[in-house]
Amino acid sequence: MSRTSLRAVTAAALLATWALGAAAQAWPPTPTVIAHRGASALRPEHTLAAYQQAIDDGADIIEPDLVITKDGVLVARHENAIAIVGADGSIKEATTDVADRPEFAARKTTKTIDGQAITGWFTEDFTLAELKTLRARERIPAQRPANMAFNGQFEVPTLQEVIDLAKAASAKTGRTIGIYPETKHPTYFQTIGQPLEAPLLTVLEKNGWNHKDAPVFVQSFEVANLQAIRQKSSVRLVQLVAASGRPYDFVAQGAANARSYADLITPEGLRQVATYAHAIGPFKTLVVPVKDGLPGEPTALVARARAAGLAVHIWTLRPENAFLPAGLKKAPASDGTARGDSVAEITAYLRAGIDGFFTDDPAVGRAAVQAFTSGGVAPAR
């Protein structure tokens, strides 16, 4: 047997052993491996192929970012802007081929999203039927050129299709695959009369997942929409926390609300978050800062969150040099597409006591968790 075949067999055996244990645990297994937009390091993000790859590679949960169509259907895209035009007129970023579709050329427009003017094409200007004629593209080809081989192969999935995939995979594997939808730009969508919250709860209710024990976490960088959901549902909620800045709904309130993300993670802020949320989702360096190019000593955030009764799910751990601290890059360090020591980065956060993490490569995340738990290393508490 070749070394490559042996590695594949060994990996498959480890995954099968883990799956048997995971199926017997309370959901979700901890530490939780959350597939960030699917296995987005291996397939174009927010496609059924990326989600399936993530499940195959050991993810506990798959994450769809949610935006809405003209006819009110929730779909999975990183942004409602499915192609963005730069100042020079070139395509700055795209998750679909819409810019190459002459029949939709007139849909290009400029909108202000969370205070930022963006020119491009937007999901809310397309019916689902129109959106389904488009094909997905790799969003960051400079960092993930291999994913460009899949350009043009996959549709934009609906939330229902993501749930169908999760349910089918759960039945097939015998382990519960959850979803972790993020409501994108909720204040913006409310202002244009297309709020995301009611359609989300309707889909969850239809699928029997609108309750506290459902395999669902709903996340948002804003606060008011999570509080509104809590008034109508017992589903798990997660308050996302950026490394700086303010929730946009706070910004929209003007002088009436001067709080920032930093205020949300003080002891008092966390106690307030705990009145509506199950967990916080902080940017990773709020838990383990980088010092001298390597993960440093953990902050007190995990302990503070736990004291408030909140779990901690950090974002986002990515395998390529472009996203890793200098000390974890692998040669050639200047090549952002090369893979560095992502396992070492993940392990640093596991030692800090996190409950789960978002990763662009769940196979790497699963390997890190397996090594950490089998090594008997006690996390910091």
Side-chain angles (χ1 to χ4, degrees), residues 28-34 180 217 237-241 265 270 277-288 299-315 349-350 352-358 380-381:
T30 306
T32 311
V33 178
I34 308 158
Y180 210 125
F217 290 85
L237 303 179
V238 181
Q239 180 63 64
L240 296 175
V241 180
I265 55 175
L270 290 166
H278 171 88
I280 57 168
F283 182 65
K284 60 185 182 179
T285 57
L286 293 172
V287 171
V288 178
T299 68
L301 181 54
V302 170
R304 290 202 306 267
R306 193 155 285 116
L310 294 164
V312 179
H313 298 162
I314 63 160
W315 53 277
Y349 289 97
L350 295 175
I354 62 168
D355 300 283
F357 58 94
F358 288 82
R381 293 290 184 185

